[in-house]
């Protein structure tokens, strides 16, 4: 059964410094050998927007923007895959997105479904279906940061066959990394959370990010993890057989034992009150 070597990059981009941030991210990525390298959410732009004009100035086309060009160039030269978060502009709308890039260029885009706080002012909610993408023989799903609070997203991707979920992040809740151990365990997949570190101080607010990026195994253990403040890339081998074995015991199967006929409330619109 194949192994996928997965890495995250954790760092501290400077708001609005697209080219420098991309250079820094790729320099950190170059320190590790991996088949798949994941960088944080909104890596090239930074996170704390203060005006719609700033969003418009920093948002990028998913095929021709600075992030797509820089990452596609690196993926081609290094013959490997990348996932990176970016501010996307498409048909006049802005999205908080992540792109999957392989040696042949941009392969897929995911638009964050669950926007957090002021992101709701700056971005439209994601409008693309959850999907599975090939990275070698691995099946990869994409989510972004605050999606961690919605277990349905990870479950849906796991049911669709994901071996690995890439999770570019700018996490602010201190318990997110711990919760991600459970998100991962309950689906028996690998997850890779590439998080930001440092504090962004801008007219739009001051936001401290929590670092502690990690790769989590299907058993719910962090098998690679960074500290809260390090600027670092770390890689680890992931045995995909572990993610494909959904047997909890000889006779208890994680997915076959589900009772979806009782879970209707999960997909119904909630009635308030
Ligand atoms: C977040 O979703 N960036 C908190």
């Amino acid at each position: 059964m194949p192994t996928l070597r997965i890495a995250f990059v954790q760092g501290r981009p400077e708001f609005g410094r697209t080219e420098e941030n991309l250079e820094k991210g790729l320099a950190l990525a170059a320190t590790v050998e991996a088949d798949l390298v994941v960088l944080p959410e909104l890596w090239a732009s930074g996170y704390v927007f203060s005006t719609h004009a700033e969003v418009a100035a920093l948002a990028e086309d998913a095929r021709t923007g600075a992030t797509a060009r820089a990452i596609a160039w690196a993926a081609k030269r290094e013959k490997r895959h990348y996932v990176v978060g970016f501010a996307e502009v498409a048909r006049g709308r802005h999205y908080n997105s992540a792109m999957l890039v392989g040696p042949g260029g941009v392969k897929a885009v995911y638009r964050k479904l669950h926007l957090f706080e002021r992101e709701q002012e700056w971005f439209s909610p994601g409008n693309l279906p959850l999907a599975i993408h090939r990275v070698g023989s691995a099946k990869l799903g994409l989510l972004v940061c605050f999606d961690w609070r919605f277990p349905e997203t990870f479950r849906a991707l796991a049911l669709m066959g994901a071996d690995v979920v890439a999770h570019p992040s700018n996490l602010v809740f201190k318990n997110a990394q711990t919760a991600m151990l459970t998100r991962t365990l309950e689906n028996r997949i690998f997850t890779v959370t590439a998080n930001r570190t440092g504090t962004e101080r801008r007219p739009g607010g001051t936001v401290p990010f929590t670092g502690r990026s990690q790769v989590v195994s299907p058993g719910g253990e962090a098998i690679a993890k960074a500290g809260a403040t390090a600027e670092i890339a770390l890689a680890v081998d992931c045995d995909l057989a572990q993610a494909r074995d959904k047997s909890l015991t000889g006779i208890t199967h994680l997915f076959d034992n589900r009772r979806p006929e009782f879970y209707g409330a999960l997909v119904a619109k909630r009635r308030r009150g």
Side-chain angles (χ1 to χ4, degrees):
M1 183 57 77
T3 293
L4 188 76
R5 190 163 173 82
I6 301 178
F8 60 74
V9 167
Q10 172 171 301
R12 194 178 304 119
E14 299 265 334
F15 187 88
R17 303 200 169 225
T18 298
E19 300 296 337
E20 289 99 314
N21 294 336
L22 288 167
E23 235 171 76
K24 182 189 217 174
L26 287 173
L28 284 165
T31 65
V32 285
E33 271 184 34
D35 304 305
L36 170 68
V37 183
V38 182
L39 286 94
E41 180 183 13
L42 295 171
W43 175 258
S45 61
Y47 184 79
V48 187
F49 293 95
S50 354
T51 63
H52 287 281
E54 272 180 1
V55 182
L58 291 169
E60 305 178 28
D61 182 272
R63 310 271 154 185
T64 60
T67 296
R69 282 185 281 115
I71 301 292
W73 177 80
K76 184 175 179 186
R77 191 189 49 173
E78 298 161 10
K79 298 187 180 58
R80 61 185 184 176
H81 283 74
Y82 278 86
V83 170
V84 58
F86 72 110
E88 183 188 6
V89 59
R91 295 171 187 251
R93 287 182 181 271
H94 298 119
Y95 301 95
N96 182 344
S97 298
M99 64 173 76
L100 168 67
V101 186
V106 177
K107 287 169 77 161
V109 170
Y110 165 73
R111 296 175 175 156
K112 187 175 184 177
L113 290 176
H114 303 97
L115 298 172
F116 179 66
E117 295 283 274
R118 294 198 72 191
E119 290 173 33
Q120 296 170 103
E121 282 179 54
W122 313 130
F123 298 113
S124 299
N127 59 356
L128 300 175
L130 293 169
I132 299 297
H133 313 284
R134 286 274 175 182
V135 173
S137 58
K139 294 186 198 159
L140 179 80
L142 301 174
L143 293 173
V144 171
C145 201
F146 190 52
D147 287 327
W148 73 268
R149 212 62 171 86
F150 300 86
E152 298 87 342
T153 54
F154 287 87
R155 179 63 106 204
L157 287 171
L159 288 170
M160 291 162 74
D163 302 309
V164 180
V165 173
H167 181 225
S169 294
N170 281 188
L171 291 165
V172 294
F173 289 110
K174 289 196 171 62
N175 54 7
Q177 289 85 346
T178 308
M180 279 299 296
L181 304 180
T182 304
R183 284 295 89 76
T184 311
L185 171 85
E186 66 201 2
N187 291 296
R188 286 188 67 83
I189 52 174
F190 288 94
T191 61
V192 47
T193 298
N195 194 23
R196 264 197 67 168
T197 186
T199 296
E200 209 168 273
R201 291 186 179 79
R202 305 224 52 251
T206 296
V207 180
F209 301 99
T210 59
R212 292 159 47 224
S213 298
Q214 59 188 5
V215 178
V216 183
S217 72
E221 280 175 54
I223 51 175
K225 57 181 171 182
T229 57
E231 295 201 271
I232 195 169
L234 290 175
V236 64
D237 285 328
C238 298
D239 173 8
L240 300 178
Q242 289 178 26
R244 289 179 190 174
D245 178 7
K246 304 297 187 193
S247 300
L248 300 176
T249 70
I251 56 168
T252 305
H253 190 275
L254 178 64
F255 285 173
D256 294 349
N257 277 47
R258 293 172 64 248
R259 304 291 307 280
E261 61 272 34
F262 290 94
Y263 306 157
L266 284 178
V267 290
K269 282 249 182 221
R270 187 173 75 94
R271 270 175 287 161
R272 289 173 194 271

